Amino acid sequence: VYVPIPKLMLASVSGGFNIGGTPTLPGKYNTTSFQFAEDLSIVRGKHQIGFGGEFVNQQFNSISNMGATGTFVFGGQITNLGLADFLLGKVSSFSQGNPRVNYNRSNFVGAYVQDSWRAARGLMVNAGIRWEPYLPIYSKRRQVTHFDPELFARGVRSRVFTKAPAGLLFPGDPGMPNRFMGFPRWLDFAPRVGMAWDPQGKGQMTIRAAYGLFFDQPHLWLP
């Protein structure tokens, strides 16, 4: 059996012991991020208007051996005792995969405008909106797949890999988002509004309320 990591094995003996484990397998993980951001603020009377934006490029390069080192399982199917099967060399199952290589990339774009308005003495109102389009993760080496449940229901198969299951698309197939793991959403707007009120005007009590809509980005490790 080929072992990508010399002198390392995984074994599980039911009712006995385990040798190694998936989380203990070594791998290489390199991440790099580039960011540009700019924020400006203007004061006009009772208003403080702020606006700005940012761009972030993230890169994730990894070689994971989590499934590459095979695992021997001695489950006791032969002697009804895992330890006895182990001593006899009677393996119940063996599983092994390839090293998992990722060259994932993602871009993030965000822009906002907001207004901090002193509406009255002791009352501050904040309102703004943020634009955060969803830009899907993509693979530098086009190592991506895309599953379409509608195509699956219709039994449509890939033209690139004709033996792949129905509904599973690869780069080069019609309807496949090229090297991306999904389709972008450009109209993701997130409004925010908040209020801070000092009912007595003495700075000893503050009542606050706020509402906001927020978006999140998937991690490159779990696209």
Side-chain angles (χ1 to χ4, degrees), residues 11-23:
S12 176
V13 181
S14 298
F17 57 88
N18 295 327
I19 300 177
T22 299

Side-chain angles (χ1 to χ4, degrees), residues 20-40:
T22 299
T24 65
L25 297 177
K28 298 180 180 179
Y29 305 90
N30 298 316
T31 60
T32 305
S33 296
F34 301 93
Q35 180 181 19
F36 173 80
E38 185 67 27
D39 299 276
L40 298 175

Side-chain angles (χ1 to χ4, degrees), residues 187-198:
L187 300 179
D188 283 353
F189 292 94
R192 286 72 181 290
V193 61
M195 179 195 71
W197 178 40
D198 182 357

Side-chain angles (χ1 to χ4, degrees), residues 102-143:
N102 286 316
Y103 292 96
N104 294 334
R105 304 289 187 268
S106 73
N107 292 318
F108 170 82
V109 177
Y112 74 94
V113 59
Q114 69 176 26
D115 183 14
S116 297
W117 172 38
R118 188 172 294 280
R121 183 178 180 182
L123 177 61
M124 178 68 73
V125 178
N126 296 278
I129 189 168
R130 185 173 179 88
W131 176 59
E132 288 187 0
Y134 170 69
L135 304 178
I137 295 173
Y138 65 94
S139 172
K140 177 183 178 181
R141 297 189 174 182
R142 296 165 61 91
Q143 298 171 322

Side-chain angles (χ1 to χ4, degrees), residues 3 16 22 30 50-51 60 65 67 71 73 85 95 102 121 127 129 135 141 147 150 161 172 198 201 220 222:
V3 180
T22 299
N30 298 316
F51 56 93
F60 179 76
N65 295 299
T71 302
V73 177
D85 282 9
S95 59
N102 286 316
R121 183 178 180 182
I129 189 168
L135 304 178
R141 297 189 174 182
F147 179 74
E150 294 185 2
F161 296 99
D198 182 357
L220 291 179
L222 300 172

Side-chain angles (χ1 to χ4, degrees), residues 34-84:
F34 301 93
Q35 180 181 19
F36 173 80
E38 185 67 27
D39 299 276
L40 298 175
S41 181
I42 301 175
V43 178
R44 291 292 185 271
K46 297 182 179 181
H47 297 267
Q48 181 177 352
I49 302 173
F51 56 93
E54 65 177 324
F55 170 80
V56 181
N57 173 262
Q58 299 183 75
Q59 302 180 9
F60 179 76
N61 304 316
S62 71
I63 300 178
S64 173
N65 295 299
M66 294 180 65
T69 301
T71 302
F72 297 88
V73 177
F74 300 88
Q77 278 81 355
I78 305 301
T79 65
N80 295 322
L81 185 63
L83 286 171

Side-chain angles (χ1 to χ4, degrees), residues 149-173:
E150 294 185 2
L151 296 180
F152 172 77
R154 291 158 44 194
V156 178
R157 295 181 178 273
S158 168
R159 297 181 184 179
V160 177
F161 296 99
T162 57
K163 295 184 179 181
L168 193 61
L169 304 179
F170 301 85
D173 282 324

